[in-house]
Amino acid sequence: MDSRSWTSTCSGGTHVVGESRVPIKQGGDIITARQQGRALAAQLGFSSADQTLIATAISEMARNILVYAKVGEIIVRPEHNGKAGITIIAHDAGPGIPDINRAMQNGYSTSGSLGVGLPGTKRIMDEFLIVSEVGKGTTVTMKKWKT
Amino acid sequence: MADPRQPRTTLALMREMGLTEEVVARRKAFLEFGAEDVERLRGLHDLAAQYADGVIEDFYSHLLSFEETQKFFTDPAILARVKAAQKQYFLELTQGQYDAPYVEDRLRIGVAHERINLPIELYLGAYNFYLRTVMLRLVEGYKNNPEQSTATLGSLLKLVFLDMGLATETYLFRRERTIREQQEAIREISTPVLPLRERLLLLPIIGAIDPPRAQQITTQLLQSIRAHRAKVVVMDITGVPTVDSAIANHLIQTVQAARLMGATVIVSGLSPEVAHALVRIGVDLSAVNTVGTLQDGIEAAEQLLGYIVSKAGDTGTSHNPAGS
């Protein structure tokens, strides 16, 4: 309900593949982001195992936004760079990550979680780029290609 | 969460909506609403006071001539009251103060409209009529100074759009809150704990789990373990489409808490996709007793409790499971 999507319509009229943006402000938004990601992955023809990986990756990043930055945004969009894929961007203007190398280590957490969110998500995606600046915020851009 | 019927002060609503002084200032900046606009509107005040009654009369005769809006004014006492309120609203547009009390007052209007379920298109449609009525009088009043007329109209439009933005936002905010409250209600009824046999509970979980729901599941489970003196619980997550590390962590903690209370939790129905994702992401679920399907879960639980289940008429085994 909170999500806005810009959609392009094919000649068929009902086929909708486009970018969606989901503001992350509260727990329920994680579910919305996950559903948007899963729906787009399904439309792009990802296998059901991959759909779950994509939904899980979105869930991890959305939860990080909520825990560390309180407010942010998840963007999911199709990728057509020679091959078909999906891009997920998790963006916030929160406190940023002081030590990215440590944050990317398994079991490291400053919030009492399992500490697998960032490294685990990197493992399940094909491309994973994290840009963070203390006091400015964090942007994670990740991609998964169709196999 | 608070009772939705409970009256809240508009000030509290303003805070909840995040309408700080800074935010309101940003909106005014975006509308390019500045000191000269305030001056122009203030300059309009005498004229507005002069025309107020006429504008209000025109406005309500318009509203009363349509079925959609008529029904809000069936009581003459209500009509008289809203007319008085409308006049005040009208005069406030040109009183020259557009700070926090003004914003609060505009939100109150949004709240009132939402409460009577005035459809948003009627609000906007009525506002359009209102604006045209005012415009005619403004142009008439400033006919010797067309430049001033255009500029003042521009200032008025900025303020009106600020108002409409605030009012419609209140609508949306209150609806979102209703949805959140409904979600909470659904959450409360959506996780039944079913006593399956003596000392054996079944906890089927359907749908997405978010942290509040996970918390609620844990609380309900631990209370039920005590109430039923349960020894084994089968938590079936066949209906859960995604389990991320935070939810997995919560499951692990729930299992540990149940263990402290002397009950064993068997988690069933982990789908192949979820299992795969958890392993790939690196969640260690070895502390949790997992089985494939709900049926496996119940069988394992019965075994733990010492039940032997057999088909009626089978020879060689007891068909009095509880008594054996």
Side-chain angles (χ1 to χ4, degrees):
Chain A
M1 185 243 351
D2 229 344
S3 71
R4 298 164 287 159
S5 42
W6 287 270
T7 51
S8 58
T9 317
C10 288
S11 52
T14 52
H15 188 64
V16 171
V17 174
E19 177 182 287
S20 4
R21 290 166 173 260
V22 182
I24 304 295
K25 288 180 287 189
Q26 43 136 336
D29 298 334
I30 298 180
I31 297 172
T32 310
R34 217 151 64 191
Q35 282 166 346
Q36 296 273 345
R38 192 187 278 273
L40 179 60
Q43 278 166 1
L44 294 170
F46 277 98
S47 71
S48 113
D50 279 349
Q51 287 172 32
T52 304
L53 288 180
I54 289 162
T56 308
I58 291 174
S59 198
E60 296 292 341
M61 293 305 106
R63 206 174 301 281
N64 277 355
I65 288 176
L66 216 52
V67 170
Y68 296 103
K70 308 279 184 282
V71 182
E73 186 179 40
I74 298 277
I75 303 165
V76 291
R77 62 163 173 254
E79 194 65 51
H80 312 280
N81 188 13
K83 42 192 175 173
I86 189 168
T87 296
I88 299 149
I89 298 164
H91 172 74
D92 68 65
I97 304 170
D99 188 343
I100 291 188
N101 287 334
R102 271 186 91 180
M104 292 305 295
Q105 275 167 26
N106 253 332
Y108 178 78
S109 171
T110 57
S111 70
S113 69
L114 290 176
V116 296
L118 282 176
T121 305
K122 186 181 178 185
R123 273 194 296 274
I124 61 178
M125 299 301 281
D126 295 325
E127 287 178 33
F128 185 96
L129 175 72
I130 180 164
V131 179
S132 187
E133 198 180 329
V134 172
K136 287 275 171 68
T138 303
T139 302
V140 176
T141 308
M142 46 197 189
K143 291 180 184 172
K144 188 148 191 79
W145 303 107
K146 251 175 78 180
T147 43
Chain B
M1 188 160 286
D3 180 356
R5 303 275 162 262
Q6 189 187 320
R8 289 163 183 257
T9 65
T10 329
L11 210 62
L13 182 67
M14 229 168 113
R15 265 199 300 272
E16 243 183 290
M17 290 171 67
L19 286 170
T20 58
E21 221 164 291
E22 207 185 347
V23 169
V24 174
R26 287 293 305 159
R27 293 198 185 178
K28 286 183 185 164
F30 189 70
L31 287 161
E32 295 188 304
F33 184 85
E36 63 280 19
D37 296 298
V38 174
E39 268 325 298
R40 279 187 212 115
L41 288 167
R42 199 177 277 142
L44 184 62
H45 193 64
D46 286 345
L47 187 68
Q50 212 175 311
Y51 287 121
D53 288 322
V55 168
I56 306 292
E57 280 315 311
D58 286 358
F59 183 58
Y60 282 95
S61 66
H62 177 71
L63 294 185
L64 289 172
S65 63
F66 282 85
E67 218 178 285
E68 299 92 311
T69 38
Q70 218 175 42
K71 66 176 181 202
F72 293 103
F73 309 109
T74 44
D75 182 348
I78 290 183
L79 183 61
R81 205 177 63 223
V82 292
K83 272 188 182 176
Q86 190 62 246
K87 185 168 174 181
Q88 200 198 340
Y89 173 84
F90 182 68
L91 294 175
E92 274 166 10
L93 282 172
T94 52
Q95 43 70 40
Q97 293 281 332
Y98 309 104
D99 40 16
Y102 181 86
V103 171
E104 197 193 331
D105 191 67
R106 270 37 191 164
L107 290 185
R108 199 173 297 132
I109 293 168
V111 170
H113 285 159
E114 204 264 349
R115 194 173 295 141
I116 60 165
N117 266 325
L118 177 76
I120 215 154
E121 69 273 17
L122 290 182
Y123 166 77
L124 292 173
Y127 215 124
N128 174 270
F129 180 88
Y130 190 66
L131 203 51
R132 281 184 286 126
T133 313
V134 173
M135 199 171 75
L136 283 178
R137 285 169 167 89
L138 191 150
V139 171
E140 173 66 23
Y142 283 8
K143 65 174 174 233
N144 296 324
N145 192 347
E147 227 166 85
Q148 181 68 7
S149 172
T150 310
T152 308
L153 197 57
S155 301
L156 183 64
L157 278 180
K158 293 178 191 177
L159 184 65
V160 160
F161 270 79
L162 178 72
D163 277 23
M164 289 197 297
L166 291 168
T168 46
E169 208 177 332
T170 317
Y171 263 76
L172 293 176
F173 184 79
R174 289 180 66 96
R175 290 225 171 143
E176 276 173 25
R177 194 160 66 195
T178 307
I179 292 170
R180 277 203 301 277
E181 281 159 358
Q182 285 167 343
Q183 279 172 340
E184 216 152 295
I186 292 170
R187 191 176 293 138
E188 264 165 43
I189 55 170
S190 67
T191 316
V193 180
L194 311 169
L196 204 61
R197 288 177 187 283
E198 212 190 327
R199 308 261 164 139
L200 170 53
L201 297 178
L202 173 62
L203 183 70
I205 302 172
I206 310 283
I209 307 179
D210 55 354
R213 187 170 182 214
Q215 188 58 54
Q216 193 254 336
I217 289 169
T218 308
T219 311
Q220 204 160 333
L221 175 66
L222 297 179
Q223 282 168 355
S224 303
I225 287 173
R226 163 164 293 176
H228 297 275
R229 299 171 61 223
K231 281 279 166 212
V232 184
V233 181
V234 178
M235 190 192 286
D236 184 69
I237 59 169
T238 309
V240 180
T242 315
V243 178
D244 65 10
S245 65
I247 297 299
N249 192 17
H250 210 96
L251 282 180
I252 294 167
Q253 287 174 4
T254 304
V255 168
Q256 284 165 346
R259 193 175 295 149
L260 283 179
M261 295 185 66
T264 306
V265 178
I266 298 167
V267 177
S268 70
L270 213 63
S271 74
E273 290 85 3
V274 169
H276 179 229
L278 285 177
V279 170
R280 288 281 302 275
I281 214 165
V283 172
D284 180 11
L285 274 183
S286 59
V288 180
N289 200 345
T290 56
V291 295
T293 66
L294 174 60
Q295 198 181 349
D296 295 335
I298 292 172
E299 279 172 14
E302 284 170 333
Q303 224 164 36
L304 276 175
L305 287 168
Y307 289 114
I308 298 164
V309 183
S310 60
K311 256 185 181 168
D314 270 10
T315 50
T317 46
S318 165
H319 51 263
N320 179 14
S324 59

